[in-house]
């Protein structure tokens, strides 16, 4: 079996990266992490990768004159590893349309909300402040619209009385670590594709929230 090569982009702690590293450790998992690239030096996600002998690179966005220049170098750095799939795992950068288009249909992101609710930052706080009963997480294909690409899979997390941003984020992360390896597996097995702007799972177009896994 030829494994799907993935490049993971991070900016921080990399707990989703860890979930993918752990998944890839199973012999029958159909993907392998070719490299991990961070736009921030010294983050723990880099250590996690190095602990597992995975190639890492740092491209510090502050060293570039603008978004176009950074994204052009990032694309070169990614493509040097010939990935089949690019996985954004807590990568805190807005990407240019040209970059996103280059990876259209082969780039996934995980976002801690039930998209289309709460694109952007501070999703947990916004769900609590809105008095929502449920929150959650979405894996989606990346398109030029921020957090706006077709959803692949969602997990729901009920809010609890007294939830803070931290307690809620912690429970959402538990679900993130389950659904991201699952979405990557589907992609690697050829069961998940982006076609004419829609996500398809096993040949069927997915509903707006993608597959609801709980
Ligand atoms: C996660 O909540 C993810 O959904 C969001 O950024 C966070 C990254 O966490 N995009 P980690 O670095 O994977 O621990």
């Amino acid at each position: 079996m030829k494994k799907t090569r993935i490049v993971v982009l991070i900016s921080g702690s990399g707990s989703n990266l860890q979930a993918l590293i752990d998944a890839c450790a199973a012999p029958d998992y159909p993907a392998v992490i070719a490299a991990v690239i961070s736009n921030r030096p010294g983050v723990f996600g880099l250590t996690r990768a190095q602990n597992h002998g995975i190639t890492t690179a740092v491209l510090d966005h502050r060293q570039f004159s603008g978004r176009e220049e950074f994204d052009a170098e990032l694309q070169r750095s990614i493509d040097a590893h010939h990935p089949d799939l690019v996985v954004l795992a807590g990568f805190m950068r807005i990407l240019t349309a040209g970059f996103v288009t280059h990876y259209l249909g082969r780039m996934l992101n995980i976002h801690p909300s039930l998209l289309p609710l709460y694109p952007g930052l501070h999703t947990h706080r916004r769900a609590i402040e809105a008095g929502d009963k449920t929150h959650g997480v979405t894996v989606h294909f990346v398109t030029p619209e921020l957090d706006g690409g077709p959803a692949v899979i969602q997990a729901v997390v009920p809010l609890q009385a007294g939830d803070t941003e931290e307690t809620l984020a912690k429970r959402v992360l538990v679900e993130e670590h389950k659904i991201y390896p699952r979405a990557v597996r589907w992609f690697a097995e050829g069961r998940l594709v982006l076609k004419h702007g829609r996500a398809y799972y096993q040949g069927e177009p997915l509903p707006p929230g993608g597959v609801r896994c709980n």
Side-chain angles (χ1 to χ4, degrees):
M1 174 183 67
K2 189 188 165 292
K3 297 208 179 203
T4 290
R5 291 172 64 78
I6 63 181
V7 168
V8 184
L9 305 188
I10 61 166
S11 303
S13 116
S15 70
N16 279 288
L17 166 66
Q18 187 67 54
L20 291 164
I21 291 172
D22 294 345
C24 289
D28 67 341
Y29 195 75
V32 59
I33 300 175
V36 171
I37 303 174
S38 173
N39 68 310
R40 290 191 180 279
V43 295
F44 187 54
L46 290 166
T47 308
R48 293 182 193 268
Q50 285 151 7
N51 286 344
H52 292 269
I54 298 168
T55 302
T56 60
V58 175
L59 273 187
D60 187 340
H61 60 277
R62 294 167 301 188
Q63 312 283 330
F64 292 80
S65 50
R67 264 185 213 290
E68 299 285 347
E69 292 74 12
F70 175 75
D71 281 6
E73 187 54 35
L74 182 60
Q75 186 175 315
R76 266 194 292 279
S77 176
I78 294 169
D79 288 349
H81 298 283
H82 306 291
D84 304 297
L85 177 67
V86 176
V87 173
L88 308 183
F91 187 64
M92 304 302 284
R93 292 279 307 166
I94 291 175
L95 296 163
T96 56
F99 179 91
V100 171
T101 304
H102 178 71
Y103 297 107
L104 197 63
R106 50 193 185 108
M107 183 155 65
L108 295 174
N109 181 41
I110 190 160
H111 182 75
S113 79
L114 296 174
L115 290 170
L117 287 176
Y118 311 127
L121 297 174
H122 309 302
T123 59
H124 309 302
R125 186 195 309 168
R126 287 153 74 195
I128 292 169
E129 283 174 0
D132 292 351
K133 290 195 167 51
T134 56
H135 188 45
V137 54
T138 307
V139 174
H140 64 95
F141 279 107
V142 178
T143 62
E145 188 193 345
L146 178 70
D147 299 326
V152 168
I153 182 169
Q154 280 187 331
V156 173
V157 176
L159 270 88
Q160 292 174 2
D163 254 335
T164 63
E165 271 184 73
E166 291 70 32
T167 59
L168 182 55
K170 209 168 157 191
R171 293 205 309 288
V172 171
L173 270 176
V174 172
E175 298 304 320
E176 296 191 26
H177 301 159
K178 290 183 204 160
I179 69 171
Y180 219 0
R182 191 182 302 183
V184 169
R185 170 189 279 279
W186 291 347
F187 183 91
E189 291 173 345
R191 291 197 269 163
L192 176 69
V193 292
L194 182 75
K195 211 167 51 180
H196 311 307
R198 276 193 89 167
Y200 284 72
Y201 178 65
Q202 311 205 125
E204 297 294 324
L206 284 170
V211 175
R212 195 38 94 75
C213 81
N214 63 354

